[in-house]
Amino acid sequence: MARDARRSHDWIAPMDSPRAAIVTGASSGIGLAVARMLGERGHAVTLVARRPEKLEAAYAQLRGEGLEVQRVAADVGDESDVVRAAAAHRDAYGRLDVLMNNAGVGIGSPIGELKTKRMDLQLATNLRSIPLFYRESLAMLTAAGAEHRNARVVNMASLAGKQGQPWLSVYSATKSGVVGFTQAMNKELGALGIKSTALCPGFVDTPMTDFLKRQVPAGSMIHTSDIVAAVAMLLSLTPGCVIPEIAFERPAAGSLV
Ligand SMILES: NC(=O)c1ccc[n+]([C@@H]2O[C@H](COP(=O)([O-])OP(=O)(O)OC[C@H]3O[C@@H](n4cnc5c(N)ncnc54)[C@H](OP(=O)(O)O)[C@@H]3O)[C@@H](O)[C@H]2O)c1
C-alpha cells in the first residue's frame, strides 16, 4: 500500500524497512536514552563512546533488551577514530538514516586559569568531531535523503551555546559553534533531504551534572526522556519540515541554565 504522509507517525521509513543510526556518546546519559529509543523504533544502531568498559555495559544492556546494536569504542576527538566508526557502521548496516552527534565534555574554569589542553579537548570533542562525522557519513546520508527525503542529523549543543556561561566559556563557545554549524548544514544539505537540528538544553539529569546536584537538585533538571521525546518528534516530521534548533529551559532556572 502506498505510504500516506498525513497518516504517518514516523516518516523515515515504514517500520518493516531497514533503517540505521549512529549515536555518539551512547554509553551514558542522553546518548544512551536516545539510542534505546532509536533501537525500539526499529533502527540498527552503532553506539560510539570513548571508554570501552562503559560502552560494553551499555551495549550489553541494549542487546539484552532485544535491540539491534553494535558498539565501536572511539574517541570522537581523533579523526582516525571518526573515520573508523563511520566505516564500521557502513560495513555492518550499509545505510544511515539518523546521525546523532552527541558526545561531549564540559570543563569549567575561570578564563585566567585556562589550560590549553582542556580547551583543546572540549573543542575537539564537542565541535571538531561534528563536521568530521558529517564528512564521513555524507554518502550514506545522501543515499537516505534520496530514498525518503528525511535523513536526520541531531547535533548536541546546549543552552550554554545560546547564552554564554561564565566559567564555562570554552564549553559555551563549542556549543555556539554547533548551533552555527547546524544552520550552515541545513543551507548546504537541505536540498538533498538531509535535515539537521541543534538541541540546546539547560541542565539535564545525567552523570555530567552529578557535580552540581547539591546545588541544583536532579528533580529540578530536565529529564533525558525530554530529549528523547524531542528526537522522536523530529523523526515524525514530514520531509518538507526542518526544525533547526530546539531550546529546553528549566522553568525556575534563575541565573543558572
Ligand atoms: N547534562 C547536561 O546538563 C547537558 C546540557 C546540555 C548539553 N549537554 C550535552 O549533551 C551531551 C551528552 O551529555 P550527557 O549529559 O548525556 O553526559 P554523559 O552522561 O557524561 O555522557 C557523555 C557521553 O559522551 C561520551 N564521550 C565523551 N567524550 C568522548 C569522546 N572524546 N569520544 C567519544 N565519546 C565521548 C561519553 O563516553 P565516555 O564516558 O566513555 O567518555 C558518554 O557516553 C554532551 O554533548 C553534553 O555537552 C548536556
Side-chain angles (χ1 to χ4, degrees):
M1 196 169 81
R3 186 168 171 73
D4 182 340
R6 284 151 301 183
R7 281 188 280 130
S8 171
H9 294 295
D10 194 339
W11 244 98
I12 283 188
M15 286 304 279
D16 53 359
S17 296
R19 59 182 106 168
I22 296 175
V23 180
T24 70
S27 63
S28 173
I30 295 167
L32 176 56
V34 170
R36 175 177 285 113
M37 178 275 289
L38 290 168
E40 288 170 352
R41 284 175 167 238
H43 297 75
V45 186
T46 295
L47 313 169
V48 179
R50 186 174 40 176
R51 284 178 282 174
E53 319 75 49
K54 208 172 132 192
L55 179 61
E56 195 61 34
Y59 167 77
Q61 208 178 319
L62 297 184
R63 285 295 281 206
E65 293 167 21
L67 305 180
E68 175 53 50
V69 289
Q70 69 162 346
R71 76 289 202 201
V72 179
D75 177 353
V76 301
D78 180 326
E79 182 175 3
S80 61
D81 275 17
V82 174
V83 172
R84 182 170 56 79
H89 178 84
R90 188 168 44 244
D91 291 348
Y93 301 126
R95 63 180 293 128
L96 183 62
D97 302 284
V98 181
L99 168 62
M100 177 145 182
N101 289 308
N102 167 74
V105 284
I107 307 171
S109 104
I111 193 64
E113 295 169 23
L114 182 68
K115 302 256 187 310
T116 309
K117 205 170 167 185
R118 292 181 173 181
M119 174 174 69
D120 290 346
L121 175 67
Q122 293 177 88
L123 286 164
T125 309
N126 300 359
L127 181 57
R128 180 177 175 273
S129 64
I130 294 183
L132 294 176
F133 260 106
Y134 271 81
R135 185 189 71 197
E136 293 305 312
S137 306
L138 190 58
M140 289 185 284
L141 290 169
T142 302
E147 185 186 313
H148 50 61
R149 313 298 302 160
N150 233 351
R152 296 269 165 197
V153 186
V154 182
N155 296 323
M156 185 51 74
S158 165
L159 221 46
K162 302 294 294 174
Q163 313 161 9
Q165 296 299 308
W167 304 289
L168 277 173
S169 54
V170 171
Y171 179 78
S172 298
T174 64
K175 296 302 191 179
S176 240
V178 173
V179 171
F181 181 75
T182 304
Q183 291 167 357
M185 285 300 96
N186 277 322
K187 291 186 180 147
E188 193 170 322
L189 304 178
L192 298 175
I194 302 170
K195 286 64 168 288
S196 299
T197 302
L199 302 183
C200 304
F203 293 134
V204 185
D205 177 11
T206 70
M208 183 182 262
T209 48
D210 280 350
F211 75 100
L212 251 180
K213 284 173 185 158
R214 256 192 258 166
Q215 199 182 344
V216 181
S220 76
M221 292 185 181
I222 294 159
H223 198 274
T224 54
S225 65
D226 298 316
I227 313 296
V228 168
V231 178
M233 178 274 288
L234 293 173
L235 300 187
S236 73
L237 297 174
T238 60
C241 179
V242 61
I243 297 181
E245 190 176 305
I246 304 177
F248 304 70
E249 297 190 359
R250 296 184 307 117
S255 61
L256 290 163
V257 300

